[in-house]
Amino acid sequence: MIDFISAIYRLNPNVAVIRGDVAYDADGNEVAYDKAAVQAYVDAHAYIAKRAAEYPPITDYIDGVVKNDQAQIDKYIADCLAVKAKYPKGVA
């Protein structure tokens, strides 16, 4: 999951530490960052956590492979594709 603080680090590689909502570089100087851009980044990556919470367990797929059960494998894939369709990339 991409939270606000992680997004600050990802969008501002010169940030070394964050205290509260203030970011600092390695020398302790305050680093200005665009809060709207950070929030937009968080929103655009929200699908990742949503998908992870709803994907079927990978053991369902592995069990199908071990049993050579193509119907079970196909169901697993279909379930994953349904989750991807429900939570497309970049849509909050």
Side-chain angles (χ1 to χ4, degrees), residues 8-55:
I8 293 171
Y9 283 119
R10 290 183 186 202
L11 294 175
N12 301 278
N14 58 328
V15 170
V17 67
I18 299 171
R19 292 187 195 102
D21 64 348
V22 181
Y24 301 92
D25 66 14
D27 296 324
N29 301 309
E30 189 171 332
V31 175
Y33 62 90
D34 183 344
K35 290 181 181 181
V38 172
Q39 188 61 54
Y41 186 89
V42 170
D43 293 344
H45 290 82
Y47 76 94
I48 296 169
K50 291 176 182 176
R51 284 183 179 183
E54 290 196 30
Y55 277 138

